[in-house]
Amino acid sequence: MTKDTVLWTYLTTPADLPNKFANMVEGSYKQGAYHPLQMGFLRPNQDCSQYRTPVKNLYLGGASVAPGGMVIFGPGYNCANAIAEDCGIEKWWTEPAYVTAARENGYV
């Protein structure tokens, strides 16, 4: 990314969050309800799960998508993988050892 390719930026603080997102009281970092229809692979909803959205080339990689706000770097890592797969980009990063171990043990 360069300044020439960034179309828009937006900055918020924890104090701004509850004004925009009613379910993020006091700046909650988990974003979204922990409702059965918004958990796991359905997070944040059926149409926007798995880091892709119905809008072409728009991806989600924050606390609102699986595995959620309590898994540090998880949503961003998974989103980067989805973007690389969809755009045919060769991944220059490797899977973290703890993810490989979880996969080998059947957790992922």
Side-chain angles (χ1 to χ4, degrees):
M1 282 193 294
T2 65
K3 289 183 180 181
D4 296 339
T5 60
V6 174
L7 302 177
W8 182 68
T9 60
Y10 182 73
L11 177 69
T12 63
T13 70
D16 299 322
L17 295 177
N19 294 329
K20 185 168 182 169
F21 303 104
N23 62 347
M24 293 183 70
V25 178
E26 296 180 8
S28 171
Y29 51 86
K30 294 182 181 182
Q31 191 174 1
Y34 273 74
H35 184 274
L37 295 177
Q38 292 184 331
M39 293 303 295
F41 68 93
L42 291 176
R43 189 162 172 80
N45 61 55
Q46 183 175 343
D47 294 330
C48 295
S49 62
Q50 301 302 305
Y51 318 101
R52 296 164 178 91
T53 71
V55 178
K56 184 180 179 183
N57 297 325
L58 179 62
Y59 296 83
L60 302 175
S64 65
V65 293
M70 294 300 293
V71 182
I72 306 300
F73 305 122
Y77 173 81
N78 292 337
C79 183
N81 283 319
I83 293 169
E85 290 167 11
D86 291 356
C87 297
I89 299 169
E90 184 178 343
K91 299 176 189 177
W92 63 88
W93 59 91
T94 58
E95 183 175 80
Y98 62 88
V99 174
T100 303
R103 188 179 314 285
E104 290 170 354
N105 288 315
Y107 299 131
V108 178

